[in-house]
Amino acid sequence: MRAAVLREFDVPLTVEEIGDPAPGPGQVLVRVVASGVNPLDTKIQAGKAAHARVQLPAVLGMDLAGVVAAVDAEVTGFAPGDEVYGLCGGVGDLPGSLAEYTAVDARLLAHKPNNLTMREAAALPLAAVTSWEGLVDRAGVHAGQKVLVHGGAGGVGYVGVQLARARGAEVYATGRPANLPVIESLGAVPIDYTTSTVDEYVERHTGGEGFDIIVDNVGGTTLDASFAAVRTYHGHVVSALGWGAHSLAPLSFRGATYSGVFTLLPMLTGRGREHHGAILREIAALAEAGALRPRLDARRFTLDTVMDAHRLVADGTASGKVIVDIAD
């Protein structure tokens, strides 16, 4: 089969003929139709994501949508011909989705939402799992809360805004001026972080009380700002990018709490993979109910132009999730 292979870090992926995979114990063989490209994929390729623990040579690509080609005898719930999606590989020793076929742990898969195309479904897994783990698992988002999502037009933020609204929260989201219409189209209150200080938007939207939940999808000084904008006593800050050195004093003085999210952990350790599949089943139900939709960049890419897709993601100019078409 054809696959995009990473032979050396910071060297372009090469399209090669490699051996066809077969499903091992507990695995499903998927004919990949579409592969989503995430910023993390580009960092892995560049050798700037040691936490992903990729072993070379490697087939990259974490998000996929495709069709089940075969299943191991131990697997239940999936059968040849099923349309599936998932956050299944491209890290650690797990083969990725930039290939015509991949064998994946059945626990990481879910049936594709019926109302989404393969391209649309491939845009969701990493963003959806990350958002769910932060908003639902860690923060317990519910109706009546005020939620602030930093980077609301980004890949994870776009899904997070919709997830919080689907669970009844009143949602606000920060973004650059050009992205404010996108945020507003999701039903969230847009906040231009380039013209409003933290104190100003906290006063304007919460009367100075702070937000019940803040989701940081940016990191750095944005996480610091989150500690100063969360609600006193009951507020909760969630971030998947809390990797730097941060002062917890503003958070502590508000009596608020913080949680980190490391979405790759079940993939890297093998523990908790069932929960990823369960999350994606919940996300599929929301999508089919019309409560959640992906945003795709209109440009089309194939295995032969995969590095063009990577460059588009790396330079930050994509207008939505970038998808690589693997099959028709």
Side-chain angles (χ1 to χ4, degrees):
M1 69 172 183
R2 298 177 80 233
V5 180
L6 180 66
R7 293 281 173 186
E8 297 179 52
F9 291 119
D10 206 23
V11 170
L13 303 175
T14 56
V15 179
E16 305 175 12
E17 288 283 344
I18 64 173
D20 293 341
Q27 290 187 327
V28 171
L29 181 66
V30 178
R31 179 175 65 85
V32 183
V33 176
S35 173
V37 182
N38 297 286
L40 180 55
D41 293 305
T42 69
K43 292 184 175 75
I44 293 171
Q45 182 269 327
K48 298 178 180 178
H51 63 288
R53 306 175 200 167
V54 173
Q55 303 173 14
L56 300 182
V59 176
L60 300 189
M62 292 180 283
D63 290 334
L64 69 76
V67 180
V68 174
V71 299
D72 175 64
E74 300 176 3
V75 172
T76 60
F78 297 104
D82 287 353
E83 294 186 337
V84 294
Y85 77 134
L87 172 64
C88 297
V91 299
D93 60 355
L94 302 180
S97 55
L98 290 173
E100 292 177 324
Y101 288 88
T102 186
V104 305
D105 190 325
R107 295 173 295 173
L108 296 169
L109 282 175
H111 289 95
K112 179 184 77 65
N114 292 325
N115 60 333
L116 298 186
T117 67
M118 288 287 187
R119 285 171 52 80
E120 290 171 331
L124 285 176
L126 177 62
V129 172
T130 302
S131 294
W132 188 281
E133 288 189 342
L135 279 163
V136 180
D137 293 344
R138 307 294 195 278
V141 63
H142 57 77
Q145 292 181 310
K146 288 191 174 184
V147 174
L148 173 64
V149 177
H150 286 301
V156 178
Y158 191 86
V159 174
V161 167
Q162 295 177 84
L163 177 58
R165 291 195 72 246
R167 295 180 72 87
E170 182 180 336
V171 184
Y172 302 77
T174 61
R176 296 190 299 269
N179 290 331
L180 300 184
V182 174
I183 292 169
E184 192 167 19
S185 73
L186 297 174
V189 177
I191 298 173
D192 182 354
Y193 70 87
T194 69
T195 60
S196 295
T197 68
V198 175
D199 288 343
E200 286 172 346
Y201 64 68
V202 168
E203 180 62 35
R204 182 183 312 122
H205 298 300
T206 73
E209 291 294 319
F211 296 91
D212 297 291
I213 298 172
I214 299 180
V215 180
D216 163 45
N217 296 307
V218 181
T221 58
T222 300
L223 180 53
D224 295 323
S226 301
F227 292 158
V230 71
R231 187 179 182 88
T232 301
Y233 293 126
H234 304 295
H236 195 91
V237 177
V238 181
S239 179
L241 293 168
W243 302 339
H246 299 273
S247 171
L248 295 179
L251 187 75
S252 298
F253 286 137
R254 302 181 81 85
T257 53
Y258 167 78
S259 292
V261 173
F262 186 25
T263 312
L264 305 185
L265 203 57
M267 302 164 72
L268 295 172
T269 66
R271 299 193 299 271
R273 290 182 179 179
E274 298 89 345
H275 188 48
H276 275 201
I279 290 171
L280 291 174
R281 290 192 291 274
E282 296 278 3
I283 293 297
L286 287 174
E288 289 172 354
L292 191 152
R293 67 181 189 274
R295 178 183 177 225
L296 272 59
D297 190 280
R299 284 161 281 196
R300 306 292 289 255
F301 302 94
T302 66
L303 280 177
D304 294 315
T305 57
V306 66
M307 288 310 301
D308 293 332
H310 268 229
R311 282 187 283 272
L312 180 60
V313 173
D315 68 19
T317 59
S319 298
K321 192 68 171 279
V322 173
I323 303 297
V324 177
D325 298 315
I326 308 297
D328 296 331

